[in-house]
Amino acid sequence: MCSKIVVVGSCMIDFTCFSPCLPKPGETVIGKSFEIKYGGKGANQCVAAAKLGATAAIVASLGSDTYAQEYLKIFKKEHIDTSHVRIQENQHSGIAQITVADNGENSIVVVVGSNASLSLEHVNHAADVIRNAAILLCQFETPLETTLHALKLRKGYGLSIVNGAPAARNVDSALLELCDIFCVNETEAEVMTGVQPLGLSNMQLAVEKLLDKGCNTVILTLGEQGAAYASQKDRTIKLISATPVKPVDTTGAGDAFLGALAYFKAYHPGLSMDECIRRACVVATESVLKFGTHASFPTRSNLSPDLFV
Ligand code: RIB
Ligand code: NA
């Protein structure tokens, strides 16, 4: 059976310190607790979609360590198709060093490890899965040339969503032109455009610059403020607001949003963009109320049935 959503993206092992605050440069902070969990933007987005009930597949590259074996078990548990997950000999799985502060903010350093080996040939091998899905979802933690290749291979077969995270400076305009929806948060938008999207007029400016670079539709996620979007057809941004909450851990909130967006686009293709974004914001908001990434992503039964009609 074909998966409705395919992610070509990263897996990371998250080494997370919970701390009263984020350390300043040169500062040592005494943390409160430490956890090893499973993350990576690609895998997180895939799990977020699967938890909502999507059939999903991941094309990814893990290292030759026990973490990789554990990760395969997690994918199995979420019923994610792993037939295109490769184990790279003599490489370590990607890792993320994460600090989560009491106010829910986080900072992350990623060492991509085996994710760097996600190759064009690997993507070619998964061509059927990539072409037959309703949605292709990619991020920037795996090589950009591989993402570009996946988008080329997919051209003419259906919707592609790219999450430009983490921030990248020189993104090939071909990549931006090939994806239907390009989604970034405020910091990522600033790195790509030089405009800090604070306030309506700067949001509009940043989004316009991304449209000028070739994006078809741009979604700018705004944390607790929700998201804004615009397209080549209608370049004036539309704001979709989210319900403000008191977050405990915002790690992976963007991934919850992207996984949910892919879910609603795949399973409710008749919904307007406004409505898909609004529903994806609801899912992301849920995720910041719980610690961790996967564990904080809601399942369908945790959410109002209204979201699924
Ligand atoms: O978006 C959150 C994710 O970013 C974490 O799980 C970490 O692995 C980094 O990739
Ligand atoms: Na969370």
Side-chain angles (χ1 to χ4, degrees), residues 77-144:
K77 208 183 99 230
E78 301 295 348
H79 309 288
I80 290 169
D81 174 5
T82 56
S83 44
H84 295 285
V85 176
R86 289 188 183 176
I87 302 290
Q88 307 289 345
E89 289 308 317
N90 303 316
Q91 290 183 34
H92 71 82
S93 293
I95 68 108
Q97 195 187 46
I98 305 179
T99 308
V100 178
D102 275 351
N103 67 359
E105 278 182 337
N106 65 70
S107 74
I108 307 181
V109 177
V110 154
V111 178
V112 296
S114 57
N115 289 293
S117 297
L118 189 69
S119 65
L120 275 55
E121 177 270 326
H122 189 158
V123 162
N124 286 340
H125 213 254
D128 281 351
V129 176
I130 293 173
R131 286 185 171 145
N132 290 325
I135 306 286
L136 165 67
L137 188 53
C138 305
Q139 312 72 26
F140 283 177
E141 281 178 337
T142 45
L144 287 181

Side-chain angles (χ1 to χ4, degrees), residues 34-289:
F34 171 72
E35 265 181 1
I36 301 178
K37 283 279 159 63
Y38 295 80
K41 296 184 195 301
N44 288 350
Q45 293 174 21
C46 197
V47 168
K51 286 186 85 167
L52 294 174
T55 57
I58 186 159
V59 181
S61 176
L62 284 162
S64 51
D65 40 43
T66 52
Y67 296 120
Q69 298 309 317
E70 281 306 309
Y71 221 144
L72 288 172
K73 287 186 202 157
I74 289 170
F75 287 138
K76 294 263 146 63
K77 208 183 99 230
E78 301 295 348
H79 309 288
I80 290 169
D81 174 5
T82 56
S83 44
H84 295 285
V85 176
R86 289 188 183 176
I87 302 290
Q88 307 289 345
E89 289 308 317
N90 303 316
Q91 290 183 34
H92 71 82
S93 293
I95 68 108
Q97 195 187 46
I98 305 179
T99 308
V100 178
D102 275 351
N103 67 359
E105 278 182 337
N106 65 70
S107 74
I108 307 181
V109 177
V110 154
V111 178
V112 296
S114 57
N115 289 293
S117 297
L118 189 69
S119 65
L120 275 55
E121 177 270 326
H122 189 158
V123 162
N124 286 340
H125 213 254
D128 281 351
V129 176
I130 293 173
R131 286 185 171 145
N132 290 325
I135 306 286
L136 165 67
L137 188 53
C138 305
Q139 312 72 26
F140 283 177
E141 281 178 337
T142 45
L144 287 181
E145 63 267 24
T146 306
T147 305
L148 178 57
H149 187 65
L151 291 166
K152 282 184 182 162
L153 196 133
R154 164 98 177 157
K155 193 173 157 66
Y157 285 84
L159 216 66
S160 299
I161 305 177
V162 173
N163 173 213
R169 251 158 253 277
N170 296 309
V171 182
D172 193 332
S173 59
L175 189 155
L176 302 176
E177 285 160 20
L178 276 167
C179 67
D180 300 286
I181 301 174
F182 185 69
C183 179
V184 283
N185 70 14
E186 293 138 297
T187 28
E188 290 143 9
E190 186 178 350
V191 169
M192 286 186 75
T193 65
V195 178
Q196 192 183 10
L198 271 183
L200 213 54
S201 61
N202 280 343
M203 284 177 204
Q204 177 70 44
L205 194 60
V207 167
E208 255 175 69
K209 288 201 172 206
L210 290 168
L211 292 171
D212 288 343
K213 285 178 190 284
C215 294
N216 294 296
T217 293
V218 173
I219 301 179
L220 175 64
T221 57
L222 302 164
E224 63 167 16
Q225 284 185 75
Y229 81 96
S231 66
Q232 294 291 351
K233 262 202 225 123
D234 187 354
R235 294 171 69 99
T236 308
I237 56 166
K238 261 188 117 172
L239 276 178
I240 312 290
S241 58
T243 311
V245 294
K246 199 166 182 289
V248 299
D249 183 358
T250 56
T251 317
D255 299 332
F257 179 87
L258 266 303
L261 181 72
Y263 173 85
F264 291 116
K265 283 278 173 200
Y267 286 86
H268 297 273
L271 287 180
S272 66
M273 190 61 139
D274 284 43
E275 190 53 22
C276 286
I277 293 177
R278 189 190 68 77
R279 294 184 189 194
C281 282
V282 172
V283 173
T285 300
E286 262 316 293
S287 80
V288 305
L289 298 173

